[in-house]
Amino acid sequence: MATLDNSRPPTPPNNGTETPPTGLGYFSVPFERFVRDEISDWSGFTLLDTMETYFDSRLDLLQRQLSKHSDRLKTKAEETFNDVFKKDVLKKIKSPSGDNLDREMQKFKLKMTQRMTSLSASWQSAKIVRTREKVTFFTGVMILLFTALVFGMAPQWIHVLYTVLGLYLLPMRAYQYKKRSWHYFLFDLCYYCTILNFVFIWVLPTNPGLFVACYCLSHGSLASAVITWRNSLVFHDSDKVTSLFVHIYAPLTFTVIRHFYPNAQDRFPALKEVHHLPPFRALLLSSIIYTIWQLLYWKFVLINRRKKIESGQRTTSFSYLLNDKRGIIGRALSTVPIQYREVSFMLGQLVYSILTELPAVFVLYDSPFWSGAYLLLLFSVSVWNGGGFYIEVFGRKSV
């Protein structure tokens, strides 16, 4: 799976003082205060409001221009002060040795230069981070809007959009995770399934067995990860956006192919042979695909890279969940003897994968309505998690 998106911060402790009632009581105090203020102050959007908005924007622009001009004046004043200070110091300080004075001045200049360089680098770095977050926010919102438009106007292009976004987001995640030494997470089941989905869409659209396995895994392990791994719709965070894409776009794509794609059997001939999902065959095919991945993961990650994982140089989903003592999985694994933990974890994942595929096998494949309701549930969970992040984190800063 992707990295855990537990982005909702803990509730701050109550310092012994009771807080007054806050109306609904479902949200944080800053959010309910905002709601009360909005309700009490609203009296209709009049012409005066329009003029006020117009002049406020002009005043804000003027204020920013004055601020830039003030910064330039401050910089010039500091340069002038430093020049005068240096000249005054050279005149007043009398040293028996001129070489010592020159040497001290050179050291002073070097220290000041290093400090200014460090401050400038920090400022530039913060500015770059803010710009990157704005670009990520814009991109995330546009992806959501464009996906809705494509689904409503041309659903036959959803699988193309899925592929294009995957070619953009997944290499970027691989680069970022490699820099952080998190790249062993890229061997998880969700990325394996994503590659299989692309193989079916573009290479083997006539293979019914691969279609069944991709459909079940996409609606099972990948889709349920939105809930179990607390994926959040946080637009300015590229890591959270990518995690949500990996887990929710696969079931969206295969739901469209199954229920909403015009003449889907012409583009994906495998559907001609799969009018209904036989439960045993569907679960067996997906379990075989899962077992192949699990054996490869066990050999090339847990065995061949064991030293790096045990030394802490690399992190995997297994080591992360094992060390997470607050989670159910971490607490359960801690009760298992060390020599059986890996086997228990792999068997537990297999059981979890089969259980999460049951709704797809018995309900979703035959029902466009319940398929749409399932996707809406997943998206609602991600929005709720993202709303908790924005309201709790930014709302707390504004108080």
Side-chain angles (χ1 to χ4, degrees):
M1 300 295 170
T3 56
L4 182 62
D5 289 311
N6 192 5
S7 54
R8 184 181 181 91
T11 304
N14 192 349
N15 296 326
T17 59
E18 295 183 357
T19 57
T22 56
L24 295 175
Y26 299 124
F27 304 100
S28 62
V29 174
F31 180 76
E32 295 202 352
R33 185 184 303 123
F34 169 77
V35 172
R36 292 197 305 271
D37 294 341
E38 286 295 312
I39 295 175
S40 61
D41 293 341
W42 175 254
S43 60
F45 196 75
T46 63
L47 178 61
L48 182 60
D49 296 323
T50 306
M51 296 175 62
E52 182 180 357
T53 303
Y54 175 84
F55 286 111
D56 283 346
S57 62
R58 293 299 183 273
L59 289 174
D60 181 66
L61 179 60
L62 179 61
Q63 183 179 2
R64 282 183 288 175
Q65 292 175 348
L66 290 175
S67 178
K68 291 181 181 179
H69 184 64
S70 176
D71 291 338
R72 288 197 297 267
L73 291 177
K74 288 180 181 179
T75 303
K76 290 182 180 180
E78 289 176 358
E79 293 176 353
T80 304
F81 175 77
N82 290 334
D83 292 339
V84 174
F85 175 76
K86 290 178 182 179
K87 291 179 181 179
D88 191 54
V89 168
L90 289 174
K91 287 180 181 179
K92 291 183 178 180
I93 295 179
K94 294 182 180 180
S95 174
S97 174
D99 295 337
N100 292 336
L101 178 62
D102 292 339
R103 191 179 300 112
E104 292 297 325
M105 289 299 300
Q106 290 296 329
K107 290 181 180 179
F108 177 77
K109 289 181 179 179
L110 180 60
K111 289 182 180 180
M112 291 300 298
T113 302
Q114 290 175 347
R115 286 187 179 182
M116 293 301 296
T117 302
S118 177
L119 290 174
S120 177
S122 300
W123 183 84
Q124 290 291 340
S125 176
K127 184 177 181 180
I128 291 173
V129 168
R130 289 195 298 269
T131 303
R132 184 172 63 242
E133 289 181 348
K134 289 180 181 178
V135 172
T136 304
F137 185 91
F138 174 82
T139 304
V141 174
M142 289 298 104
I143 288 175
L144 179 60
L145 176 61
F146 196 64
T147 299
L149 290 174
V150 172
F151 176 75
M153 300 175 64
Q156 66 272 20
W157 287 92
I158 281 289
H159 68 286
V160 179
L161 184 58
Y162 176 46
T163 305
V164 172
L165 292 176
L167 293 175
Y168 167 68
L169 293 173
L170 296 181
M172 184 172 64
R173 162 155 287 190
Y175 171 75
Q176 293 174 346
Y177 276 24
K178 178 64 177 176
K179 287 176 58 179
R180 302 175 185 177
S181 297
W182 292 355
H183 51 284
Y184 283 12
F185 281 104
L186 300 176
F187 296 103
D188 285 352
L189 179 64
C190 53
Y191 302 99
Y192 174 77
C193 293
T194 301
I195 294 173
L196 286 181
N197 292 343
F198 291 152
V199 170
F200 168 75
I201 291 172
W202 300 109
V203 181
L204 297 173
T206 60
N207 191 312
L210 183 59
F211 168 72
V212 171
C214 290
Y215 183 90
C216 291
L217 289 169
S218 295
H219 285 82
S221 297
L222 266 68
S224 62
V226 175
I227 300 173
T228 57
W229 288 83
R230 290 184 56 81
N231 286 169
S232 305
L233 185 61
V234 179
F235 288 115
H236 76 277
D237 191 324
S238 61
D239 187 60
K240 290 180 172 58
V241 169
T242 304
S243 296
L244 184 60
F245 163 79
V246 170
H247 294 142
I248 204 172
Y249 227 99
L252 169 65
T253 301
F254 278 89
T255 294
V256 170
I257 291 175
R258 168 61 181 138
H259 296 296
F260 304 104
Y261 196 106
N263 301 318
Q265 295 182 356
D266 296 336
R267 173 61 179 82
F268 303 101
L271 273 69
K272 296 178 181 178
E273 303 181 29
V274 190
H275 300 289
H276 178 73
L277 284 183
F280 178 78
R281 180 173 179 269
L283 295 176
L284 178 63
L285 287 173
S286 61
S287 298
I288 291 174
I289 295 295
Y290 171 87
T291 303
I292 293 173
W293 163 79
Q294 188 65 85
L295 291 175
L296 293 173
Y297 186 88
W298 174 76
K299 177 63 173 66
F300 292 103
V301 178
L302 298 181
I303 298 300
N304 293 357
R305 303 293 188 272
R306 183 180 297 275
K307 291 183 178 180
K308 289 186 176 181
I309 296 172
E310 291 179 348
S311 65
Q313 299 178 25
R314 300 291 184 269
T315 304
T316 64
S317 296
F318 173 71
S319 60
Y320 179 88
L321 292 172
L322 180 62
N323 294 323
D324 184 17
K325 303 304 181 184
R326 296 178 301 175
I328 298 177
I329 298 177
R331 293 198 302 268
L333 289 175
S334 63
T335 62
V336 179
I338 297 177
Q339 63 270 25
Y340 300 119
R341 285 179 181 175
E342 289 183 0
V343 177
S344 301
F345 180 69
M346 290 187 289
L347 291 177
Q349 277 195 312
L350 176 59
V351 173
Y352 170 81
S353 177
I354 294 175
L355 291 177
T356 55
E357 291 171 10
L358 295 179
V361 174
F362 290 101
V363 179
L364 303 182
Y365 193 82
D366 298 321
S367 174
F369 172 80
W370 288 113
S371 295
Y374 185 59
L375 290 175
L376 184 61
L377 171 65
L378 298 177
F379 188 74
S380 300
V381 171
S382 69
V383 173
W384 181 267
N385 294 338
F389 177 86
Y390 281 117
I391 292 173
E392 295 296 336
V393 175
F394 293 104
R396 189 178 302 162
K397 290 180 180 179
S398 63
V399 175

